[in-house]
Amino acid sequence: MRRLLPVLGLSLLAGCATEPPRKYIVFFSNSSVELDDSARSVISEVSAKAQRHPSRVVQVEGYATAGNDLSADSLLAVQRAKLVAEQLHDDGVSGDRIRQTPRAPSTTEASAVGSRRVEIELVSP
């Protein structure tokens, strides 16, 4: 019986452990601020998870590829983050739990597709 108690204790602790943070990624077409079905599906999944974890903040980070006009590219990153945040809100996430952060446009050619995205993460406040 004494040998089972430590195992039981560890099992209970493991069950209480929080799952590691996961980043959800919404991709956009070049110069686009429109959500396709895949993007809506990802946002819907995040909304459902956010509703199951009401103490967490939903961090939304918008990215864009650097082109000839960095101010327009920066605006694109802001618009993407805002669009995703609005969709999260429409799907039931309270606006006071959503934090939007645009990121500087990327100048790395290899990351052109990766820069056309919004990352969403549930974080502790």
Side-chain angles (χ1 to χ4, degrees):
M1 183 68 172
R2 287 185 191 179
R3 293 181 186 170
L4 290 177
L5 287 176
V7 172
L8 179 62
L10 288 175
S11 296
L12 288 173
L13 285 175
C16 294
T18 60
E19 56 191 63
R22 175 181 170 200
K23 287 191 179 185
Y24 297 84
I25 301 176
V26 174
F27 287 102
F28 289 83
S29 297
N30 195 25
S31 300
S32 172
V33 290
E34 298 207 11
L35 298 172
D36 60 15
D37 290 339
S38 175
R40 290 182 196 280
S41 176
V42 170
I43 295 168
S44 178
E45 181 181 346
V46 175
S47 281
K49 188 169 184 177
Q51 290 174 18
R52 290 191 306 270
H53 299 281
S55 66
R56 299 227 178 134
V57 172
V58 182
Q59 180 67 40
V60 178
E61 296 181 346
Y63 294 81
T65 304
N68 293 333
D69 186 352
L70 289 179
S71 63
D73 299 330
S74 294
L75 181 59
L76 191 59
V78 170
Q79 291 173 328
R80 288 173 175 167
K82 183 177 179 178
L83 180 65
V84 170
E86 288 173 352
Q87 187 63 48
L88 284 163
H89 186 264
D90 290 348
D91 287 351
V93 179
S94 175
D96 61 346
R97 294 180 56 205
I98 302 171
R99 303 285 182 264
Q100 298 176 50
T101 308
R103 296 294 180 200
S106 173
T107 57
T108 307
E109 190 174 318
S111 67
V113 173
S115 293
R116 298 188 317 249
R117 73 186 189 281
V118 168
E119 291 183 357
I120 312 166
E121 187 174 13
L122 293 163
V123 296
S124 298

